[in-house]
Every structure is written in C-alpha cells, then in structure tokens.
Amino acid sequence: MTDPGKEPAPVLVWSKDRRTPRRQAPSVEQIVHTAIRIADAEGLSALSMRRVAADLGSGTASLYRYVASRDDLLDLMIDTVQGEAGPPPLSGDWRADLSEVARHVRATMLRHPWLGSELAGRPALGANSLRRYDVALTTATALTPDITLAANVVDTVLAYVFGTVARELADEQARRRSGLTEDQWRDSVAPYIRDVIASGAYPQFARLVLDAEDTGPDQRFDFGLACVLDGVAARVGGTGSAGLAHS
Amino acid sequence: MTDPGKEPAPVLVWSKDRRTPRRQAPSVEQIVHTAIRIADAEGLSALSMRRVAADLGSGTASLYRYVASRDDLLDLMIDTVQGEAGPPPLSGDWRADLSEVARHVRATMLRHPWLGSELAGRPALGANSLRRYDVALTTATALTPDITLAANVVDTVLAYVFGTVARELADEQARRRSGLTEDQWRDSVAPYIRDVIASGAYPQFARLVLDAEDTGPDQRFDFGLACVLDGVAARVGGTGSAGLAHS
DNA sequence: CCTCTGTTGCGAACAGCGTACCGCAATGGC
DNA sequence: GCCATTGCGGTACGCTGTTCGCAACAGAGG
C-alpha cells in the first residue's frame, strides 16, 4: 500500500497488461436477462446499472450503448417477461379462454415479484404486452363482436387480476424491503395486529382475523375471477350492446 | 459573486450571523403534509428528504428525528391520504354502499397520482387504511354474514378498483416521467401505434384503436364496477356460503 | 504489411440520493 | 446568571444514474 492513489506515475510499458481481454458485446438481450435475474433473486432495490454490468463482466458505461436509461431497461424487462410463456391455446369458449389468460398473467406476476410495483406506473405498449392484450381481445370477441365492449370486458378482467396479484405480492415485498426473515416479520407484525384488534375500532376486521378460515390465495383468486366472469356474462352475455346500462 | 465557494476562509466573528433563527420543530404531520404536497405537484421522483426539509425550512437530518426513513414517510403519506375524506355514509344497501366505497378509493387515487405505484408493493396496515377496509367489510356483511366470504367480496371489488385506476394513471405517469408536454408525448406515441397497427400482428388491437368509440374513463370504470358487483350478487347473493363453487 | 477510420468499451467524474454521526446552540430548571 | 439537557442540522459516507472523452480494436484501402 505504498502511497496509494497519489502519483499516477507513468507505468513501465511492459508492466501494463492489455486491461481486459475485450469482452464481447453484451447485446440488449443479455443485459435484459441479467437484469431480470437480479430483480427476481434480490428484488428491484438490488438492480443497479453497476450491478448489471458487474454480473455481465463489463463496464457500467458500456450498458448505455445498448440501453438508453435504467427506465428503458425496466420497460424492456417488463415486456420480455410478458413474452416468456407462449400464448395459451384458445378453445373458443370465451370463459375458459379468459380464465386461462388471467391465470397466465397471474403466473407471470408471481414468478417475477417486482412486476407488480413496476407495472403499476407504466402503460404496457411493448410487443409482447400488446400480443397478450390482442389475444385477450380475441377471446372476448367470442363473447361480443362489439370491440369497444370487448375491450371493456378485457380491461375489467385484467384490472381484477392485476389488483389481486399486487396485493398478494405486497406482503412479501414489504418483508423483503425490511430485510427481516419470515419469522422476524411475523413477530413484528403480530403485536401490531393484536393492538389493532384490541382497540375495538375495527370490529369487522377483528372478526375477520379471528374467525376467518384462510382459503389460500389460489382459491381467493379463483373466487374473485369467477365473480368477475359471472358479472361479465350477466351484463354482456345475451345482448349485443346493452352493457352500459347503469347499476 | 466574487469567487463563489472557493475559500472557506474563517469569517470574522462579528460577520457570522446566528446561522438560522432556530426553526421550530416540524412535527410528523407537517413533514407528511409537505411530502404529500410535493408528490402531488411534482411526482414521486421529486420527493427527496432534502427537498422536504428545504420546503419546511429545516435541516435534512432533522427529519429523521420524526420519521425513521424515507420508506416510513411513504407509509405515513399513504395512510394520511387514505383518511383525508371521511367515511362515506352507509345506506344499508350493500350494492350502493360498495359502489360508494369503490368511488371513494378511485377519487383518492386520482387526487394523488403517486398512490398507484406506491400502493402496489405495500400492505395497507395504517389506521386509516384499516378503517376503510373495515367500512367496506361492514357493507359486505349486509350481503352475507359469512365474514370470510364478505372479505373475498371486498377484496375482489377493491382489486378491480385498484387495477383499473392504476391503468388510468399509468399513461399520465409515464408522460410525466419522460418530462414531455402532452402534445410532445402524443406525437411521440402516435407513430409507434401507427407502426404497430400497420404491422398487422395485432388485428383486434388495431380494430380497437380504429373503430372504438372512447366512452371515457368514468364510464369505463362504472361498467367494470357494475360487472364485478353483478358477479358478486350472482355468486353470493341468494345463498349463504355456496360461493366457492368453481367456474 | 502498414495506416487510417469508424465503432465500441469503459474509467473517471458529477450531481444527487438516503442516512449516521456528533458538535454546538438554544432552552428549562435552579 | 449559570449549568445541564435537549435536539437541530452541518458534514460526510457510500451509493445511485448518467455523461464525457479517450483508448483500444476491426476492417478497409493503399
């Protein structure tokens, strides 16, 4: 450690190595895949440009040759992930097909827990997102030829799916952010919930916590989806376009 | 402007003023309100601890006497905003009341565009959020006494609301992030959409863009909400507990 | 084979972030 | 009028996204 970093001192020619063996170009796909891997494994907060570059073995600034900004990278990650499972086969039965689309979306979000928070503030205009949307629209046109109505149906179903899965993910996300283990987290939330119940200000919530039989997230999802599809069927089903009648 | 910021140069004793007149304590409420104002006006990206402190006229480090971290501040902001409108009056008609709750939630999210992205990754356990949830549960118990089922109903409705409004906000959020004006944004999106349609790969989406009559976000919201409530009524309405029958 | 030129990698620097430490000034009690 | 206590906030650390400009290479032309 003889006087580190004070004198640049032109090194002897023969002692300077060829820096790095000139890594091959990372390419956009590699960057995006690496970023997705990091976000999946360690959460969005661990996803920095420096980190991606390090995992790729390249310099940080090099990434900007392929991706304009971190924001663009996130958009690319989202769209890549939307396309990772092929489109589901369509049976022609609109209800089964829309269910399948919904389950697909949920599976994608659960596989990539960062999707929920990231998708919230962005319009999904990527090629894969659009393909998914187009498939969903196709299934809905089996219910009604009116494209406006079909879009309303698809939007309703997808909104339900997104909202539900976002809440499913919220707990795990918060725990991860806090850095606690699952047990520590439970032990830190439990006393608060106990106080909330003991306060008596939230009687129904208390009843829910104490009495409810937890049916598990899958059943909850299926229940809500069934409700939404029932409602769509009731409101759009028979008629061609009387769907906008109110309440 | 004589050589600004180059020489610290110990100032003469009599020229050093009493620094700052010792501002009064900011208090948690003031901090949270200031933060909300900044986020509402300039977006989440403009919300930094330094910025909040500056707007409050206090030192940055002082905030940490009242708020443990930026993350805690965000949680406090969320819960404050959830409580800013009193609970809606309950009529006893579950459908009208649940609609009212849904409209309330939407109004809150639209008033604070940052709520969408922030709420996505957090469980809402604050006092005001819990009160809202409790009110929603109460309205649902008018539909069914089964608390588990009532919670499923409420979760379904709220998931739809959250998902829909999140998408409503997404466009505006993206535009804001890009820093473009509304016109610039439109001009930058339009050619892409044109290309997408011209590609022919998304026929239904193309049909939607070209043929659909835009009914406006309010009507879209009401349509989806009516669907969800229809579905809930169909699945829970008459029976007491047969709600989990599938598909 | 050499040189010249366009492309690409990336070190270093910059502004700004959240947060921890701790000296110092103002305040309350005597 | 003095001192002990309190708590504000300047400063600093390590991190972030992003830019600039040079170094190193590839391929073409002589």
Side-chain angles (χ1 to χ4, degrees):
Chain A
M1 292 297 167
T2 65
D3 189 18
K6 194 58 191 294
E7 281 258 338
V11 296
L12 272 43
V13 257
W14 48 80
S15 75
K16 67 164 72 166
D17 50 3
R18 53 273 180 265
R19 294 186 169 277
T20 42
R22 205 61 178 178
R23 322 274 175 185
Q24 82 284 7
S27 88
V28 179
E29 281 85 17
Q30 281 187 20
I31 293 174
V32 173
H33 272 78
T34 305
I36 291 174
R37 184 158 30 81
I38 294 173
D40 284 351
E42 302 171 52
L44 263 185
S45 60
L47 183 77
S48 72
M49 300 302 271
R50 282 166 167 80
R51 178 65 203 282
V52 173
D55 274 28
L56 254 110
S58 80
T60 307
S62 306
L63 301 185
Y64 287 89
R65 294 257 170 211
Y66 301 91
V67 166
S69 67
R70 183 180 193 267
D71 228 61
D72 273 25
L73 175 57
L74 283 168
D75 279 335
L76 290 174
M77 288 169 64
I78 291 173
D79 203 61
T80 300
V81 144
Q82 301 271 34
E84 71 188 6
L90 297 187
S91 68
D93 173 8
W94 69 268
R95 183 156 183 144
D97 287 346
L98 267 186
S99 289
E100 194 54 31
V101 168
R103 255 180 278 275
H104 246 71
V105 172
R106 184 167 102 109
T108 303
M109 288 180 69
L110 291 180
R111 195 162 37 232
H112 305 286
W114 46 271
L115 251 188
S117 9
E118 217 42 46
L119 219 50
R122 294 165 193 279
L125 292 175
N128 291 324
S129 306
L130 283 182
R131 179 151 33 248
R132 265 211 180 161
Y133 193 66
D134 203 75
V135 168
L137 273 180
T138 304
T139 76
T141 47
L143 174 66
T144 169
D146 180 350
I147 190 71
T148 307
L149 198 52
N152 280 337
V153 167
V154 167
D155 286 346
T156 301
V157 172
L158 290 184
Y160 162 73
V161 172
F162 175 71
T164 300
V165 185
R167 276 228 191 289
E168 275 186 59
L169 292 172
D171 261 312
E172 179 63 13
Q173 293 271 97
R175 190 185 68 70
R176 212 182 248 210
R177 222 189 346 264
S178 73
L180 272 50
T181 72
E182 202 159 337
D183 287 343
Q184 288 173 318
W185 178 253
R186 200 189 315 281
D187 291 350
S188 115
V189 171
Y192 172 71
I193 297 292
R194 220 185 313 279
D195 285 356
V196 161
I197 294 177
S199 79
Y202 315 95
Q204 303 304 327
F205 178 73
R207 204 151 72 84
L208 176 63
V209 174
L210 297 176
D211 295 358
E213 38 188 314
D214 190 359
T215 51
D218 289 353
Q219 285 223 351
R220 273 201 301 270
F221 178 79
D222 285 343
F223 169 79
L225 181 59
C227 280
V228 173
L229 293 177
D230 276 359
V232 164
R235 198 151 278 259
V236 181
T239 83
S241 64
L244 287 175
H246 180 256
S247 186
Chain B
M1 287 296 171
T2 66
D3 190 16
K6 194 58 193 294
E7 281 259 335
V11 296
L12 273 42
V13 255
W14 51 78
S15 76
K16 67 164 68 165
D17 50 3
R18 54 270 179 267
R19 295 181 166 277
T20 42
R22 204 64 177 173
R23 321 276 176 183
Q24 82 283 8
S27 89
V28 179
E29 281 84 16
Q30 281 188 18
I31 294 175
V32 173
H33 272 78
T34 305
I36 290 173
R37 184 158 31 81
I38 295 172
D40 284 351
E42 303 172 48
L44 263 185
S45 60
L47 182 77
S48 71
M49 300 303 271
R50 283 160 164 72
R51 177 65 201 282
V52 173
D55 275 27
L56 246 84
S58 80
T60 307
S62 306
L63 300 185
Y64 287 90
R65 300 256 155 208
Y66 302 91
V67 166
S69 68
R70 184 180 192 267
D71 227 62
D72 272 26
L73 175 58
L74 282 168
D75 280 335
L76 290 174
M77 289 168 64
I78 291 173
D79 203 60
T80 300
V81 144
Q82 301 272 35
E84 71 187 6
L90 297 187
S91 67
D93 173 8
W94 69 268
R95 183 157 183 142
D97 288 346
L98 266 185
S99 288
E100 194 55 32
V101 169
R103 255 179 279 273
H104 246 70
V105 171
R106 183 167 102 110
T108 303
M109 288 180 69
L110 290 180
R111 195 160 39 232
H112 306 285
W114 46 271
L115 252 188
S117 8
E118 217 42 47
L119 219 50
R122 294 166 194 275
L125 292 175
N128 291 324
S129 306
L130 283 181
R131 177 152 34 248
R132 264 209 181 164
Y133 193 64
D134 203 74
V135 168
L137 274 179
T138 305
T139 76
T141 48
L143 174 65
T144 169
D146 179 352
I147 190 70
T148 307
L149 197 52
N152 279 338
V153 167
V154 168
D155 287 345
T156 301
V157 172
L158 290 183
Y160 163 73
V161 172
F162 175 73
T164 300
V165 185
R167 275 231 190 286
E168 273 187 58
L169 292 172
D171 260 312
E172 178 63 13
Q173 293 271 98
R175 189 187 66 73
R176 211 182 250 211
R177 219 184 353 258
S178 73
L180 272 50
T181 73
E182 203 158 337
D183 287 344
Q184 288 173 319
W185 178 254
R186 201 188 315 282
D187 289 352
S188 114
V189 172
Y192 172 70
I193 298 292
R194 219 184 315 279
D195 284 357
V196 161
I197 293 176
S199 78
Y202 316 94
Q204 303 303 327
F205 178 74
R207 204 150 72 85
L208 177 63
V209 174
L210 298 176
D211 294 358
E213 37 189 313
D214 191 1
T215 53
D218 291 352
Q219 285 222 351
R220 273 201 300 268
F221 178 78
D222 285 343
F223 169 79
L225 180 59
C227 279
V228 173
L229 292 177
D230 277 358
V232 164
R235 198 152 279 258
V236 182
T239 82
S241 64
L244 288 175
H246 180 257
S247 187

